[in-house]
Amino acid sequence: MAEARRIGDESRLVSVAYCTKARDDASADVRAEVAAHHRIWGTWRQEQTAIGLAHRLSSQRTVTG
């Protein structure tokens, strides 16, 4: 669970950085943020699978824990 939280935190930081740059300047260079996102998740499918599994785990912990 700790590793999942760490990855989630890192992913959120990258997303915030990307959104902040893009919001402030539509033509901003966001290659570093995109590269960090790919490093964290690999593919879109891997990201979605991880999010789904994390949701299931957190839901089960809430119900049973």
Side-chain angles (χ1 to χ4, degrees):
M1 287 300 285
E3 181 65 8
R5 285 189 184 103
R6 186 197 65 74
I7 292 170
D9 291 344
E10 184 180 4
S11 182
R12 271 189 293 284
L13 289 173
V14 168
S15 294
V16 167
Y18 176 90
C19 291
T20 299
K21 277 187 176 179
R23 181 187 63 228
D24 293 344
D25 178 6
S27 63
D29 183 3
V30 293
R31 286 180 287 185
E33 289 76 14
V34 171
H37 187 269
H38 286 291
R39 178 184 52 76
I40 294 166
W41 294 110
T43 66
W44 177 85
R45 183 174 296 244
Q46 288 171 315
E47 178 183 9
Q48 293 305 306
T49 299
I51 289 169
L53 290 171
H55 177 70
R56 278 197 248 151
L57 284 171
S58 65
S59 295
Q60 288 176 354
R61 281 183 58 122
T62 303
V63 171
T64 61

